[in-house]
Amino acid sequence: MTIQPTGAEHVAPITGDVPEPGAVTVVIPTFNESANVRELLRRVAASVPDRLPCEVVFVDDSTDDTPAVIADAARDCAFPVSVIHRDTPVGGLGGAVVEGIRAATADWVVVMDADLQHPPALVPDLVATGEKEDADLVVASRYLPGGSRAGLAGGYRVAVSRGATWLAKGLFPRALSGISDPMSGFFAIRRAAVTADALKPLGYKILLELAVRCRPDRVAEVPFVFEERYAGESKSTAREGMRFLRHLVELRTASPLARMIAFGLIGLTGFVPNLAALYALTRAGVHYLPAEILANQLGVAWNFLLIEVLLFRDRRHHRHWADRAGRFALLANADLVLRIPLIALFVGQFHLAVLPATALALLTTFVLRFAGTEALVYLPRRGRSETSRTGRNDR
Ligand SMILES: Nc1nc2c(ncn2[C@@H]2O[C@H](COP(=O)(O)OP(=O)(O)OP(=O)(O)O)[C@@H](O)[C@H]2O)c(=O)[nH]1
Ligand SMILES: [Mg+2]
């Protein structure tokens, strides 16, 4: 990663007429936005510095000449403009924004896209609202009266964006209360409210990441009209949808208790392939006992796949997949074997009735299986980290 200050030699002392707050760092992630950055800087220059002292930090993962165009356009800017160009785009869009927040120097950080879907003229309003309402986070929302998602091309994308908003708000009712547009990529946050080390962005939804992991104290909102992309091509792809779901699962299962609940829910879904296989095998004439054992293996395989993809995706790199699958299957089958003597123990020694003894045995083996799976299959080793997290926002 290299930091290239551009236009710094042209920095003029800034004397904005907005008394509070001190200043804003505008963080803009760019990926091949050479056709937009000149107009973007022009509009920032026209609407921000007169009202609020500012600096602009681009975090660039481009393969085109975007950094050179920024450097050239920055010569006309009376405020500091810098480009952090990353040779290895760790974390994609989300990682870029965190990088920019780390580099920010002002009390307030505004994050916005480079394609002018987010109007730069709103930057001072976002910060002023934060100051006035003593908020840590101010979200520019498409869903408030006065706002609109005009630039969200097509009914399909509108529906996906709405669905994603409901899903996120349903999963995080407290963290997202007061945020009508958690999918927005345009917001202001107090630098002091961000714990950059706690962030593990995955995908486009960096606001979701910040709201859930940093839990800003007070949240305010300002309506905005989501414009159409000014020039260039959208960088969002269908893969972003899957990343978003993984992101939700990661955020929701950050605590061990939540992870255990998710583990249990995934286990419950395993009944479906298990019973379907049992039905098919017995219909095909297989005796029910071997059929039970075989069908159980299908349920185990199903659970293993979901757990790999959804729950422990971050922690699977230290063991070969066959090793993990073997250990997982061993634990899942040990669960069955252990349950019977446990029930006998609860009934014989502790004089429980069969039903509560079975329920207790189920619970005990479930907790043991969860703990065993964490410790024996997915125990993270020191010094390993994921490097392929990518992502984007505003869909
Ligand atoms: N640094 C960096 N920026 C990215 C990356 N992917 C996207 N961006 C930037 O993130 C912003 C949002 O990306 P867009 O492609 O506009 O995504 P979108 O707004 O959801 O899609 P459209 O509505 O079609 O424009 C733009 O400024 C992109 O240049 C990335 O991998 N790294
Ligand atoms: Mg865009």
Side-chain angles (χ1 to χ4, degrees):
M1 188 188 78
T2 53
I3 299 188
Q4 312 166 344
T6 62
E9 65 274 24
H10 301 278
V11 175
I14 302 160
T15 48
D17 55 4
V18 173
E20 287 292 322
V24 63
T25 300
V26 183
V27 170
I28 306 175
T30 46
F31 182 68
N32 295 352
E33 301 286 4
S34 57
N36 289 314
V37 286
R38 187 175 294 283
E39 176 64 13
L40 174 69
L41 279 176
R42 193 189 68 73
R43 291 199 204 171
V44 171
S47 55
V48 185
D50 284 349
R51 295 179 58 198
L52 184 65
C54 70
E55 65 167 343
V56 176
V57 175
F58 286 94
V59 187
D60 181 71
D61 295 329
S62 298
T63 49
D64 70 358
D65 60 345
T66 300
V69 178
I70 295 171
D72 190 50
R75 295 205 174 96
D76 303 327
C77 295
F79 47 84
V81 176
S82 54
V83 183
I84 301 174
H85 178 75
R86 309 191 306 165
D87 293 328
T88 317
V90 179
L93 172 52
V97 170
V98 173
E99 198 77 50
I101 293 176
R102 283 187 202 276
T105 57
D107 292 348
W108 282 93
V109 178
V110 167
V111 176
M112 64 187 292
D113 288 357
D115 56 4
L116 290 160
Q117 290 188 294
H118 300 151
L122 210 64
V123 170
D125 298 337
L126 289 173
V127 175
T129 303
E131 286 292 314
K132 200 169 78 201
E133 304 201 4
D134 196 23
D136 281 344
L137 172 68
V138 185
V139 178
S141 168
R142 295 165 287 188
Y143 302 125
L144 288 182
S148 120
R149 44 176 193 250
L152 208 53
Y156 168 73
R157 285 195 67 176
V158 171
V160 169
S161 180
R162 252 313 190 200
T165 302
W166 282 334
L167 186 60
K169 283 183 73 75
L171 283 171
F172 303 98
R174 260 181 304 158
L176 301 183
S177 75
I179 302 181
S180 61
D181 192 358
M183 301 298 121
S184 177
F186 190 21
F187 57 89
I189 190 158
R190 263 185 224 273
R191 200 156 57 90
V194 182
T195 343
D197 289 342
L199 299 174
K200 294 197 252 168
L202 173 64
Y204 264 34
K205 309 303 176 192
I206 185 69
L207 171 61
L208 182 67
E209 173 80 12
L210 282 163
V212 173
R213 294 210 208 263
C214 297
R215 301 280 167 142
D217 264 350
R218 283 174 66 89
V219 179
E221 289 197 305
V222 169
F224 91 105
V225 176
F226 187 66
E227 303 282 354
E228 291 202 6
R229 179 173 253 282
Y230 180 73
E233 284 172 14
S234 170
K235 314 303 179 308
S236 68
T237 60
R239 283 186 69 198
E240 274 314 311
M242 261 324 276
R243 269 196 204 115
F244 170 61
L245 293 180
R246 271 177 48 207
H247 192 198
L248 286 179
V249 173
E250 279 194 18
L251 286 173
R252 198 55 286 181
T253 56
S255 77
L257 179 66
R259 249 195 327 275
M260 193 160 81
I261 292 170
F263 188 82
L265 289 176
I266 290 174
L268 285 180
T269 68
F271 285 143
V272 177
N274 192 332
L275 292 178
L278 188 66
Y279 176 76
L281 287 168
T282 48
R283 284 278 305 230
V286 181
H287 187 270
Y288 80 94
L289 278 180
E292 289 276 4
I293 295 173
L294 284 174
N296 191 57
Q297 303 317 307
L298 196 72
V300 169
W302 167 273
N303 289 348
F304 177 67
L305 280 180
L306 283 188
I307 280 166
E308 284 268 300
V309 173
L310 292 175
L311 208 54
F312 290 113
R313 200 183 175 94
D314 272 1
R315 303 211 210 153
R316 51 184 204 185
H317 304 291
H318 60 282
R319 251 181 243 290
H320 190 267
W321 73 265
D323 183 6
R324 298 195 304 275
R327 283 165 179 259
F328 187 87
L330 211 66
L331 281 163
N333 286 295
D335 175 341
L336 282 182
V337 178
L338 186 66
R339 212 178 294 155
I340 305 300
L342 258 184
I343 295 172
L345 180 79
F346 291 150
V347 174
Q349 293 287 317
F350 300 110
H351 309 294
L352 287 184
V354 173
L355 268 186
T358 307
L360 196 61
L362 274 170
L363 192 70
T364 313
T365 53
F366 167 71
V367 173
L368 284 177
R369 183 143 71 94
F370 172 69
T373 304
E374 277 227 320
L376 301 176
V377 187
Y378 297 105
L379 185 73
R381 291 183 182 167
R382 280 166 181 274
R384 299 248 177 181
S385 67
E386 198 186 20
T387 53
S388 60
R389 303 165 71 86
T390 53
R392 307 155 179 181
N393 60 1
D394 266 332
R395 269 144 316 110

